[in-house]
Amino acid sequence: MNDSNEERVADRMNCEPPIFKGCSTSELLFIAVGATVFWIPVSVLMCALLGAITMGLGIAGVGVVATVVIVASFFQKI
Protein backbone atom coordinates (compact mmCIF):
# COMPACT_ATOMS: atom_id res chain seq x y z
CA MET A 1 0.00 0.00 0.00
CA ASN A 2 1.20 3.47 -0.73
CA ASP A 3 1.00 6.35 1.75
CA SER A 4 -2.04 8.06 0.24
CA ASN A 5 -4.08 4.85 0.38
CA GLU A 6 -3.11 4.29 4.02
CA GLU A 7 -4.20 7.83 4.89
CA ARG A 8 -7.62 7.30 3.28
CA VAL A 9 -8.16 4.09 5.22
CA ALA A 10 -7.18 5.84 8.44
CA ASP A 11 -9.59 8.70 7.71
CA ARG A 12 -12.45 6.27 7.12
CA MET A 13 -11.72 4.51 10.41
CA ASN A 14 -12.08 7.79 12.32
CA CYS A 15 -15.40 8.82 10.74
CA GLU A 16 -18.85 7.78 11.90
CA PRO A 17 -20.19 4.98 9.72
CA PRO A 18 -23.31 5.62 7.65
CA ILE A 19 -26.21 3.66 9.11
CA PHE A 20 -29.30 4.81 7.20
CA LYS A 21 -29.32 6.12 3.63
CA GLY A 22 -25.79 7.45 4.02
CA CYS A 23 -26.48 9.39 7.24
CA SER A 24 -24.48 8.82 10.40
CA THR A 25 -25.96 8.50 13.87
CA SER A 26 -25.37 12.14 14.76
CA GLU A 27 -26.95 13.35 11.52
CA LEU A 28 -30.01 11.16 12.05
CA LEU A 29 -30.30 12.40 15.63
CA PHE A 30 -30.19 16.01 14.43
CA ILE A 31 -32.91 15.34 11.84
CA ALA A 32 -35.08 13.46 14.36
CA VAL A 33 -34.81 16.16 17.03
CA GLY A 34 -35.65 18.88 14.52
CA ALA A 35 -38.62 16.91 13.23
CA THR A 36 -39.86 16.26 16.77
CA VAL A 37 -39.59 19.93 17.70
CA PHE A 38 -41.71 20.76 14.66
CA TRP A 39 -44.26 17.93 14.61
CA ILE A 40 -45.31 17.61 18.26
CA PRO A 41 -46.60 21.19 18.74
CA VAL A 42 -48.12 21.39 15.26
CA SER A 43 -49.98 18.07 15.38
CA VAL A 44 -51.11 18.40 19.01
CA LEU A 45 -52.42 21.92 18.32
CA MET A 46 -54.26 20.82 15.18
CA CYS A 47 -55.82 17.81 16.89
CA ALA A 48 -56.66 19.81 20.04
CA LEU A 49 -58.68 22.16 17.89
CA LEU A 50 -60.55 19.13 16.55
CA GLY A 51 -61.02 17.63 20.03
CA ALA A 52 -58.65 14.64 19.81
CA ILE A 53 -55.41 15.57 21.59
CA THR A 54 -54.04 12.02 21.86
CA MET A 55 -54.39 11.52 18.13
CA GLY A 56 -51.97 14.43 17.75
CA LEU A 57 -49.20 12.38 19.35
CA GLY A 58 -49.80 9.57 16.88
CA ILE A 59 -49.71 11.96 13.97
CA ALA A 60 -46.52 13.47 15.40
CA GLY A 61 -44.89 10.02 15.53
CA VAL A 62 -45.76 9.29 11.93
CA GLY A 63 -44.63 12.77 10.91
CA VAL A 64 -41.25 12.37 12.61
CA VAL A 65 -40.56 9.02 10.94
CA ALA A 66 -41.69 10.31 7.54
CA THR A 67 -39.56 13.43 7.90
CA VAL A 68 -36.45 11.42 8.80
CA VAL A 69 -36.91 9.13 5.79
CA ILE A 70 -37.60 12.00 3.37
CA VAL A 71 -34.75 14.22 4.60
CA ALA A 72 -32.27 11.31 4.63
CA SER A 73 -33.29 10.42 1.07
CA PHE A 74 -32.83 14.05 0.04
CA PHE A 75 -29.37 14.19 1.61
CA GLN A 76 -28.46 10.91 -0.09
CA LYS A 77 -29.27 12.39 -3.51
CA ILE A 78 -27.20 15.49 -2.78
Side-chain angles (χ1 to χ4, degrees):
M1 289 178 115
N2 56 22
D3 289 332
S4 65
N5 196 16
E6 288 176 6
E7 289 176 13
R8 279 187 283 168
V9 171
D11 287 340
R12 279 191 230 143
M13 299 278 297
N14 292 330
C15 295
E16 288 185 78
I19 59 169
F20 180 72
K21 294 191 178 243
C23 290
S24 65
T25 306
S26 59
E27 292 166 340
L28 286 174
L29 182 64
F30 183 75
I31 296 168
V33 167
T36 303
V37 167
F38 172 78
W39 279 109
I40 286 182
V42 168
S43 62
V44 169
L45 181 64
M46 281 183 357
C47 290
L49 294 174
L50 297 173
I53 294 175
T54 54
M55 185 173 247
L57 295 175
I59 292 172
V62 172
V64 168
V65 171
T67 302
V68 168
V69 170
I70 291 168
V71 171
S73 298
F74 176 72
F75 285 158
Q76 185 180 28
K77 289 180 184 178
I78 290 177

